[in-house]
């Protein structure tokens, strides 16, 4: 897995980098076929202070690309919201990819054998 963490109008500190990587471990626990992860942390110059800090994540998994973004007045809270959204999206993608018919096929093969 390739991990890229970059900042736009902000310097990515080692504490921020370790916080993002610790949150990404939760995603990798659910789905291990992650190829590439790109995280972009941005501080925008807006009048609205509630949506000034922005976190984006582009996740390339086997089969498709997933993109999530989140804004908040605190960058750590934006990363938390981002990882929550990404976690739900990865679980949903994993459910779509899994073969739900495997149990049914196994049951019909056992019934045919008896």
């Amino acid at each position: 897995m390739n991990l890229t963490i970059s900042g736009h109008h902000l310097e990515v500190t080692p504490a921020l980098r370790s916080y993002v990587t610790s949150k990404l471990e939760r995603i990798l626990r659910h789905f291990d076929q992650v190829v590439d992860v790109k995280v972009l942390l941005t501080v925008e110059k807006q009048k609205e202070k509630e949506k000034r800090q922005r976190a984006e994540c582009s996740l390339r998994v086997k089969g498709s690309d997933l993109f999530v973004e989140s804004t908040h007045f605190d960058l750590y809270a934006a990363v938390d919201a981002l990882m929550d959204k990404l976690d739900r999206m990865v679980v949903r993608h994993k459910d779509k990819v899994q073969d739900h018919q495997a149990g049914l096929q196994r049951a019909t093969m056992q019934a045919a054998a008896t």
Side-chain angles (χ1 to χ4, degrees):
M1 174 188 83
N2 295 328
L3 174 63
T4 305
I5 301 172
S6 58
H8 188 15
H9 297 296
L10 125 109
E11 181 182 339
V12 180
T13 61
L16 193 57
R17 184 176 302 275
S18 67
Y19 187 74
V20 170
T21 55
S22 68
K23 291 293 183 172
L24 275 173
E25 289 175 5
R26 186 174 74 178
I27 306 302
L28 298 176
R29 197 171 356 133
H30 288 297
F31 196 65
D32 59 347
Q33 297 178 352
V34 177
V35 176
D36 188 30
V37 180
K38 294 180 183 176
V39 178
L40 178 65
L41 306 173
T42 308
V43 177
E44 296 179 350
K45 296 180 181 180
Q46 291 183 347
K47 291 182 181 179
E48 298 177 11
K49 295 197 179 207
E50 290 83 29
K51 297 184 178 181
R52 195 170 182 181
Q53 312 285 336
R54 182 174 166 178
E56 300 175 359
C57 184
S58 176
L59 186 80
R60 180 171 291 159
V61 295
K62 186 177 178 181
S64 69
D65 293 338
L66 308 173
F67 178 78
V68 181
E69 65 181 350
S70 176
T71 57
H72 204 270
F73 68 90
D74 181 27
L75 190 57
Y76 287 97
V79 169
D80 285 339
L82 177 83
M83 293 304 162
D84 289 339
K85 288 180 184 180
L86 190 61
D87 189 33
R88 287 191 301 269
M89 189 176 281
V90 165
V91 168
R92 196 174 336 129
H93 176 73
K94 185 178 176 181
D95 286 342
K96 287 180 183 178
V97 170
Q98 278 182 336
D99 186 14
H100 293 288
Q101 299 296 324
L104 180 63
Q105 290 173 354
R106 211 174 302 124
T108 56
M109 294 295 275
Q110 288 176 353
T114 57

